[in-house]
Amino acid sequence: MILTKKITIQAACVFNMLFFGINAFAQQPAEFVNPLIGTSNYGATSPGPIAPRGMASISPFNVAGAQNRLEKDSQWLSNPYVNENTFLTGFSQVNLSGVGCPDLGVILLMPTTGAVETNHLQYGSAYSKEVSKTAYYSVNIDKYKVKGEFTASKRVGVSKFTFPKGQSNILLNLGLGLTNEEGAMVKVVSSTEIEGMRTVGSFCYNSPEDAYPVYFVAKFSKPADKFGVWKKTPKYEGVEAQWMGYNGKTRMMDNTIKTVVGDSIGTYFTYKFAKEETVEVKIGVSYVSIENARENLEKETGNKNFDAVYKETYDEWNEELSKILVEGGSYQDKVIFYTALYHTLIHPNTLNDINGEYPKIKRTKIGKTTGTRYTVFSLWDTYRNMHPLTSLVYPKQQSDMIKSMLDMYDENGWLPKWELNSTETFTMVGDPASIVIVDACLKGIQDFDIYKAYYAMLKGADQTENNPLRPGLKEYIEKGYLSTNYAGPVSTTQEYNTSDYAISLLAKALGEKDDYKRFTKRSLSYQKLYDKDLKLLRPRLANGKWYEPFDPEAGSNFQTNVGFIEGNAWQYAFMVPHDIKGLMKLMGGEKAFSDQLQKVFDIKQFDMANEPDIAYPYLFNYIKGEEWKSQEMVKKLVREYFRNEPKGLPGNDDTGTMSAWLVYSMMGIYPISPGDPIYTITTPMFDKVTIKLDPRYYKKESVVIEREINSDDKIKQIQLDGKPLNSYFISHDAFVNGKTLKVIQY
Amino acid sequence: MILTKKITIQAACVFNMLFFGINAFAQQPAEFVNPLIGTSNYGATSPGPIAPRGMASISPFNVAGAQNRLEKDSQWLSNPYVNENTFLTGFSQVNLSGVGCPDLGVILLMPTTGAVETNHLQYGSAYSKEVSKTAYYSVNIDKYKVKGEFTASKRVGVSKFTFPKGQSNILLNLGLGLTNEEGAMVKVVSSTEIEGMRTVGSFCYNSPEDAYPVYFVAKFSKPADKFGVWKKTPKYEGVEAQWMGYNGKTRMMDNTIKTVVGDSIGTYFTYKFAKEETVEVKIGVSYVSIENARENLEKETGNKNFDAVYKETYDEWNEELSKILVEGGSYQDKVIFYTALYHTLIHPNTLNDINGEYPKIKRTKIGKTTGTRYTVFSLWDTYRNMHPLTSLVYPKQQSDMIKSMLDMYDENGWLPKWELNSTETFTMVGDPASIVIVDACLKGIQDFDIYKAYYAMLKGADQTENNPLRPGLKEYIEKGYLSTNYAGPVSTTQEYNTSDYAISLLAKALGEKDDYKRFTKRSLSYQKLYDKDLKLLRPRLANGKWYEPFDPEAGSNFQTNVGFIEGNAWQYAFMVPHDIKGLMKLMGGEKAFSDQLQKVFDIKQFDMANEPDIAYPYLFNYIKGEEWKSQEMVKKLVREYFRNEPKGLPGNDDTGTMSAWLVYSMMGIYPISPGDPIYTITTPMFDKVTIKLDPRYYKKESVVIEREINSDDKIKQIQLDGKPLNSYFISHDAFVNGKTLKVIQY
């Protein structure tokens, strides 16, 4: 162990010398990342290693077994690791980060010692000494005195186990997984290689027919002394069963190279070590085929050892995270900032194999891309800030994401809504892809077929029959709103309005005047749901009458209610980001608007943990003289909900949406109206924020946000390149073409 | 339909002209085959097409569904087709013939019409107009008005469906199968191709850990208008299940090319036909890989259509069956004779793919052969006559079978006992491989490593610890018999004696004098179990005392009993074929022996349906003057048990053993003491039997058996090449080096 540690330390030193010298910072951005943030309080993030937008990742799996506080089968649980749990049953090789439904969390590697035990409830272990950092996770598996270390390249998870002397085993459990979805195939190719697949899917318990395979190839650095496959078969009833002495028992199939399929299957690789030894296991994955998984493994990690893979991925992360350099601010602030930026760089993630192949939507064909095919589009969440952030800092990625969305349109006939590994789950409401595309397009990312995108948007917005994106569209177009005949009719109307507004912006830019007018009008129809007595939006019946009895507070904490999706009337009251001025007018002017907005917070209806109201703290910027409230509120929320600890996210990260909120908020700008290329401004939480701009999309090399604080008070002036801005809003163009945005408090 | 029929008739005519002209017979041997023989009365043969010693075969599958008289799950049933059943649920693509335990009977093709239904109990159908002949089976599937026709090459099953106008479907059900063994994988490659695997095994409900995959590729002559995969998932309990609206339901996965695994899965290929149309489906199989299944399909059937494959296989059968030409005798006699010969040419069958690859025993590696790797060695049955027949008529096949057995020894450390698709099932008792090898060797088949074979035999005969072939060997060597501490101790002692005798013969031939003496002595130890009061063999306790109370008749009809395996004291009384003279002496001479032998028949303890006593009718040949009893008995048994009808086998064909008995008996010779190259003689049932001899092993081109009957009486003289033989026994050498063996009755 001591020797190994020395080597690791030396290797780390070499990293520092060779790779950490990108800029003049004492500490590199990647060093501030703490992946444990969000691994409690239902943040649903993973403490394990992943490459930026990687397909493979490794997560400790500690949600099986009744000894765990949060047990996967006893409740709705969407992640394979919960920080306060204690019973570890393996390390899953494909995982989602910050999603609200369980999926993936399969292909579980587990080191054990002694006789081979295949029941995870038996072989599971307590664990200790977790280390979680960029591209690296390690833990001691107490029961076996085994140390596990983990890293990953984009499509390959790499595990390194340090075993004590004696019999050691590496189990690959293809039965145990995060969800009820089952079915696997495995074949031991040799004493150093395994290939197979595992079925996953039925995300949010929807679309079971779209359940899909993840293929893998595992390579071991040392040949096993013995290997085998286990299979636990179902228990049969009836006449024939009486002759089956093995009925319902686990079969141990030693040293076989046959293909084994089943629900509860796995492999064991066994070693007899005369002294402490390490074994490295590389697991390449693919959503196309075993062959591609093998090619991914070979081309990405070839003969590289654990340390070499770790170094490369660490370096890649550091480069990505260095696109925003922050100066000043506390260590803790840097940790939460860079961890948040890290969390925005996980999803959407890469779907295509290294040879460009990927499964098309519905898996009717294999596609091939020369760029990156992205997947995991939780668009109801991410249209609000994650994609706008990507457009600003990683525009090439955003461009490829849009191209991926348009390819999905080609494949499926519709833009995505909640796409996951080429299954369209149609989860949540609204038609958010349009907003994402328009937002990027109007920010200058235009290297895609804009007219195709436009027509795709129009199809989603106009096809009233058999439209999977916009249920109730006919009623929406006719009445301006969805009635209570539909689920969450108010929320959905608001979402459609927001999308229609985005479409109107693109129509305007394209000179499509009729569409521009039509969609501008459509985008304001939420007003028909405005109850001037309540000063809130309220569901209407199909006959136009208000839904009665109506409790505006019903539906907080994700309770189901008539009117709203994952929220209530207060949480949705201001969710018309494109028409805040119009809403203000409806409410009776600035004062009434301000009072009502303040009330959301005062009566504790503001929910930092879900998307509908997360922009609200910034809405005071619309009221001249009350901007300080936004400054105060944002600062307060950052301090209250975002911390350097496992509970350091307000709730589910929603594939980086909560984290993107933090990144923006700490930089002092926020994309207040997705689709509109505009930011609103608050006090940055660092002295200086330098955003490097991609020369393929932006003229300037970088843009800087500075703060000058002479008091712990409110903003007194905002300057762009030394000149007063006289506004708490700045266009994207002005921002990226300026040099320095300076926020002055004195 | 009429058109199709015309073409078939024309094609058949072409066959006749081109291919049936091998010799001067009016009717070709292959025309006499009726594969329906043995498909009732538990004969367990298949009415469907197979090539000689083919890997693939197609059987109508009519043993699922309560409407069937014999239902697979309600009893021990070892075959997928029973003639008196009525409810058809598909056509299985790999099948065993004449075995006593269920295995294979999977990959079920089924044509339907109308909406796709995936539950076989729903889509099953009555059927009519069965036609079963060499390499061809056809049937009308009444419910759908579809005609199915089937043929096969060695590794490819070919199906041809004639559909009416409208929606037609071809289902490939990978869930339904003959046994409880489950687990499959499937992937639709395109609208004309499917690939996958199905798990089979656990033969006789043994060795579940050796369950193994059969891989396949299916190609369709017409692209499906729509295709998909279905999966019926298990029903989950618990908290999570409440969110699964699809819990336990069948998923229909349209037009997907993803890999699907599961227990209850299948594919549907759907067509919309504007008029009556045919679709041909070729299914290549392999026990190595999908790639090999595809290569088998392409190389064996390429672009050949149904008729071309049928023609080739028919011709191959005709050539094989023409190795014995019979003249005189009735049509019915020719039918039962050639069908029996056909049944001896099914197992052992080919295991290797066309590229020579096959799975080694226990599937630890893939082997490669330049010859044929044979499988399905039901040696407890077949050593008695099937292998001796193969040595005589198909010596090259017998040689390759021995080489396969020696390869198994190399792979597994032991000669086979009951090998099935490279799983050693260790079913039944005894060590019969030695007998098979010695018998062939002493008949002149010596193109294998004889010393390796000899040492392999010695290992099985001498290794007293951990010997899977000969349980109880230590006691057997020490005491000369197995005590009642072991299952079927008397039978097993007799089997070991018989094997030891064979080994002694080889030892003698090799000049291994010590072994010769030792094994000769060992081969007679059954005498210690001779109860002179009963004149029967009787089980002893470990302390040497007779087992009490002892009922010699207990154990008939396969009932379990202390002492005997699948039989009783009467059925085993004479099963020391190598020491009939010794037994006669024990019994007190010819008269006592004759009386006791006659008694077996008189008290109805003779069982034609199982192996231990099937040579008994020939034992009267050992008593001078009583040979006529053998002649009468054999004739009577042939007439009683072997008929041209589904019930036309006495019972389970035991991979051709019953059929080999018939072939020999109708030719007028019988290998009375397996291992000993000797035949005993009775009246042939044809005027002339010409056995073509393989010039690679025999000097003469052929040998003839003739009869000259001037009365319906007993044999008066036997002549070899015109000279009186003066014996009812003839050595193999004398027989094959003679020209004509003539049996004269007058």
Side-chain angles (χ1 to χ4, degrees), chain B residues 658-670:
Chain B
M658 290 298 148
S659 289
W661 186 95
L662 183 69
V663 169
Y664 268 127
S665 296
M666 293 186 85
M667 293 199 300
I669 59 172
Y670 195 82

Side-chain angles (χ1 to χ4, degrees), chain B residues 78 145 219 258 317 493 625 728:
Chain B
S78 60
K145 297 184 170 53
K219 289 206 179 182
K258 70 190 174 194
W317 270 116
T493 299
Y728 282 83

Side-chain angles (χ1 to χ4, degrees), chain A residues 73 180-184 205 208-209 211 215 236 240 243-244 251 253 255-259 261 363-364, chain B residues 73 76 180-184 205 209 211 215 236 240 243-244 251 253 255-259 261 363-364:
Chain A
D73 296 329
N180 276 343
E181 199 59 36
E182 285 188 305
Y205 304 98
E209 66 285 353
Y215 304 91
Y236 290 90
E240 257 194 286
W243 302 303
M244 298 167 65
R251 303 173 180 180
M253 299 176 268
N255 293 323
T256 183
I257 57 165
K258 69 190 173 193
T259 304
V261 297
R363 286 174 167 70
T364 55
Chain B
D73 297 328
W76 189 293
N180 277 342
E181 200 58 39
E182 285 189 305
Y205 306 98
E209 66 285 353
Y215 303 92
Y236 291 92
E240 257 194 286
W243 302 304
M244 296 167 66
R251 302 173 181 181
M253 299 177 268
N255 292 323
T256 183
I257 57 165
K258 70 190 174 194
T259 304
V261 298
R363 286 173 167 71
T364 55

Side-chain angles (χ1 to χ4, degrees), chain A residues 215-243:
Chain A
Y215 304 91
F216 70 89
V217 168
K219 290 208 177 182
F220 293 69
S221 62
K222 293 193 170 102
D225 294 315
K226 187 181 146 188
F227 60 76
V229 182
W230 83 76
K231 176 173 181 171
K232 189 168 187 329
T233 50
K235 188 149 189 173
Y236 290 90
E237 309 285 332
V239 176
E240 257 194 286
Q242 69 187 290
W243 302 303

Side-chain angles (χ1 to χ4, degrees), chain B residues 46-48 58-65 68 70-73 77-82 85-95 103-110 120-121 123-125 127 130 137 139 150 173 175-179 198:
Chain B
S46 169
I58 302 181
S59 176
F61 190 99
N62 69 356
V63 293
N68 286 315
L70 299 182
E71 209 281 333
K72 71 186 180 73
D73 297 328
L77 191 65
S78 60
N79 44 308
Y81 174 87
V82 174
N85 282 353
T86 56
F87 186 69
L88 182 83
T89 50
F91 299 89
S92 45
Q93 303 289 311
V94 283
N95 305 282
D103 198 3
L104 303 186
V106 294
I107 314 176
L108 267 74
L109 211 56
M110 178 73 182
H120 64 275
L121 297 177
Y123 70 61
S125 170
Y127 57 95
E130 286 183 282
Y137 174 83
V139 67
F150 307 91
N173 190 331
L176 180 62
L178 184 53
T179 76
R198 173 60 151 84

